[in-house]
Amino acid sequence: MAGMILNELIPVLQIAVGPAILISGDGLLLLTMTNRLGRVIDRSRQLVSIMKQAENEEQENSQAQLKVLLHRGRLLRSAIFMAATSALLAALLIILVFLSVLMKWEIGWLLSIIFMGSMLGIIGSLVSFLRDVNVTLHALAIEARHPS
């Protein structure tokens, strides 16, 4: 019986490699996005500091940039949430794959739904990330019109 379980687990380990790689990729995306969010926060703090000492035109410029940075922060928060959800679903998928073999559960439909949810999380995260990149160009355009 123990040999049979081991023989059944080896293909399961092979199947679990895919979601494990997905978790690794999610981690790299999360690292990139949290670094971008950190830069947004740092730049926002810098602009608030500038606004306290600035005159009207410079305050308006800083206010416009802050508005864009707030929008970017929200996009990044959304992207981070979806990427983290994707990683969590991939981890759940690995656990359920093992449990389905050990407990002889027929839950292929559930595994498929969880995998699709994980993929949708990645897609949503990347869409928000791309939107952030596009919004970044808007902030650059504002700064280029009103150099400090």
Side-chain angles (χ1 to χ4, degrees):
M1 180 80 177
M4 187 173 154
I5 291 175
L6 182 59
N7 288 338
E8 290 176 2
L9 283 179
I10 290 172
V12 174
L13 287 170
Q14 293 169 335
I15 291 169
V17 168
I21 292 170
L22 176 62
I23 292 170
S24 178
D26 270 337
L28 291 173
L29 278 173
L30 285 166
L31 179 64
T32 300
M33 290 184 277
T34 54
N35 283 339
R36 286 181 70 88
L37 182 60
R39 293 186 70 191
V40 165
I41 291 169
D42 290 344
R43 180 64 178 147
S44 297
R45 289 180 178 150
Q46 185 182 38
L47 285 171
V48 167
S49 197
I50 289 171
M51 285 177 63
K52 289 179 182 176
Q53 304 164 2
E55 295 180 21
N56 285 347
E57 185 179 330
E58 197 172 359
Q59 278 186 343
E60 289 174 17
N61 177 34
S62 295
Q63 188 66 38
Q65 288 185 49
L66 273 173
K67 200 172 185 180
V68 172
L69 288 170
L70 181 61
H71 181 58
R72 286 188 58 209
R74 287 181 178 139
L75 287 171
L76 288 166
R77 177 184 60 195
S78 176
I80 290 167
F81 174 79
M82 287 185 275
T85 300
S86 174
L88 289 170
L89 287 173
L92 179 63
L93 180 63
I94 293 168
I95 291 168
L96 286 176
V97 164
F98 279 100
L99 282 176
S100 70
V101 170
L102 291 173
M103 307 299 249
K104 308 271 190 240
W105 293 340
E106 294 295 329
I107 56 170
W109 61 273
L110 179 60
L111 298 176
S112 298
I113 290 170
I114 292 171
F115 180 74
M116 286 186 280
S118 183
M119 291 294 98
L120 287 172
I122 286 286
I123 291 168
S125 178
L126 290 171
V127 167
S128 286
F129 183 70
L130 289 172
R131 288 181 60 204
D132 168 59
V133 170
N134 286 328
V135 171
T136 302
L137 293 175
H138 181 66
L140 180 60
I142 291 171
E143 197 165 344
R145 275 184 274 158
H146 303 285
S148 300

